[in-house]
Amino acid sequence: MKKARRKTKARTILAIDVGGSHVKVMTDRERIKREFESGPRLSAKEMVRQVRAITKDWSYEAISIGYPGPVAGNRALREPYNLGKGWKGFDFGSAFKRPTNVVNDALMQALGGYEGGRMLFLGLGTGLGSAMIVDGELEPMELGHLPYQKGKTFEDYLGAAGLKRVGRKKWRKHVADVVKHLCAALEPDYVLLGGGNVEKMDKLPPKTRRGDNADAFEGGFRLWDERVDAPRAKRRKARK
């Protein structure tokens, strides 16, 4: 498991959310989102160039990157499905010439919505992103590839292709069923549903709440925090 790192008070963090259609950026100082199109021709080197170009008037000392794939040692372990080449093993810290945290994009979004304890995150998007955070320990997961029904995986049913194939009504039932199964297996205190398709859920399953669009950026900022396991009671009180 990975721990969030300590954040220096004067340090400004740039969070980069790498997606299949867009790359979005924001700092914890300006809190202004900027973005550019990604797609199947975007290489890691070109992503760095474009991020530098659209943030040339910003000042930042550290970087967090949410990458759509498995990560170890702040480097991608394989090429992404929906982007160009050159991502596997790419050294983003050297390319940006700044301290850089690289994590799976689902984990970064999960961290942004974390409220302490044991949390399971499921990202309802093109595929099915997943992560767990247990008392501040960050654990990326690949639950979407586990078998579910009729020789298909969780992702086959809960991803965008599954939504299109079975329709919204049945898709919602599958989401609720998968949440039930994973809660029984992993015993989280609560589940955070994120991703672009969470808005298609009219009623959430038990122990589940809806993620926010800004969670990915907030997670990127919090990657540099010394502690992320603030007491849930304190956070709930602050939200009232």
Side-chain angles (χ1 to χ4, degrees), residues 36-57:
F36 57 87
E37 293 185 357
S38 54
R41 294 185 178 182
L42 185 73
S43 66
K45 187 178 293 185
E46 177 62 14
M47 187 276 284
V48 172
R49 187 193 69 79
Q50 291 199 46
V51 167
R52 283 177 166 173
I54 67 171
T55 62
K56 60 184 179 181
D57 58 329

Side-chain angles (χ1 to χ4, degrees), residues 96-142:
F96 280 109
K97 295 182 173 57
R98 290 172 175 83
T100 302
N101 261 330
V102 185
V103 297
N104 174 263
D105 57 347
L107 182 59
M108 195 164 86
Q109 188 174 357
L111 181 56
Y114 180 60
E115 295 187 342
R118 295 175 57 89
M119 186 192 81
L120 170 65
F121 171 82
L122 296 176
L124 305 174
T126 303
L128 177 65
S130 57
M132 279 200 76
I133 304 180
V134 181
D135 296 331
E137 297 280 357
L138 315 182
E139 183 62 41
M141 306 183 83
E142 295 289 336

Side-chain angles (χ1 to χ4, degrees), residues 9 63 85 107 120 122-123 138 170 193 205 209:
K9 291 183 179 180
I63 296 172
K85 302 296 183 181
L107 182 59
L120 170 65
L122 296 176
L138 315 182
K170 288 185 177 179
L193 283 182
R209 64 181 181 82

Side-chain angles (χ1 to χ4, degrees), residues 7-234:
K7 181 171 68 177
T8 304
K9 291 183 179 180
R11 176 178 286 171
T12 299
I13 300 165
L14 174 70
I16 305 173
D17 183 19
V18 181
S21 60
H22 290 85
V23 174
K24 303 172 185 178
V25 301
M26 180 186 291
T27 70
D28 60 343
R29 178 172 296 181
E30 282 86 359
R31 299 278 175 164
I32 298 171
K33 183 180 74 174
R34 293 178 181 176
E35 62 184 276
F36 57 87
E37 293 185 357
S38 54
R41 294 185 178 182
L42 185 73
S43 66
K45 187 178 293 185
E46 177 62 14
M47 187 276 284
V48 172
R49 187 193 69 79
Q50 291 199 46
V51 167
R52 283 177 166 173
I54 67 171
T55 62
K56 60 184 179 181
D57 58 329
W58 288 353
S59 176
Y60 48 91
E61 292 74 46
I63 296 172
S64 294
I65 300 175
Y67 173 77
V71 174
N74 287 317
R75 301 194 186 196
L77 294 180
R78 68 181 182 215
E79 299 291 340
Y81 290 114
N82 300 316
L83 302 174
K85 302 296 183 181
W87 295 82
K88 181 180 178 181
F90 189 83
D91 188 344
F92 291 99
S94 295
F96 280 109
K97 295 182 173 57
R98 290 172 175 83
T100 302
N101 261 330
V102 185
V103 297
N104 174 263
D105 57 347
L107 182 59
M108 195 164 86
Q109 188 174 357
L111 181 56
Y114 180 60
E115 295 187 342
R118 295 175 57 89
M119 186 192 81
L120 170 65
F121 171 82
L122 296 176
L124 305 174
T126 303
L128 177 65
S130 57
M132 279 200 76
I133 304 180
V134 181
D135 296 331
E137 297 280 357
L138 315 182
E139 183 62 41
M141 306 183 83
E142 295 289 336
L143 299 176
H145 303 304
L146 294 177
Y148 177 46
Q149 290 183 7
K150 300 179 180 179
K152 296 184 180 296
T153 65
F154 288 133
E155 185 169 278
D156 290 330
Y157 278 87
L158 269 57
L163 172 60
K164 183 178 181 180
R165 185 180 70 253
V166 304
R168 186 177 296 194
K169 185 176 181 180
K170 288 185 177 179
W171 176 82
R172 288 170 175 167
K173 291 182 178 180
H174 285 304
V175 172
D177 187 55
V178 169
V179 168
K180 179 181 177 180
H181 277 76
L182 293 179
C183 281
L186 300 172
E187 299 184 334
D189 297 325
Y190 59 103
V191 179
L192 179 67
L193 283 182
N197 285 331
V198 70
E199 63 184 21
K200 295 178 173 62
M201 294 291 296
D202 55 350
K203 182 180 179 181
L204 297 181
K207 298 174 61 175
T208 302
R209 64 181 181 82
R210 200 181 306 268
D212 187 272
N213 289 333
D215 283 347
F217 293 121
E218 190 62 36
F221 305 149
R222 295 181 72 189
L223 273 175
W224 294 92
D225 286 346
E226 184 176 8
R227 294 182 65 84
V228 298
D229 53 340
R232 281 167 289 168
K234 181 178 179 181

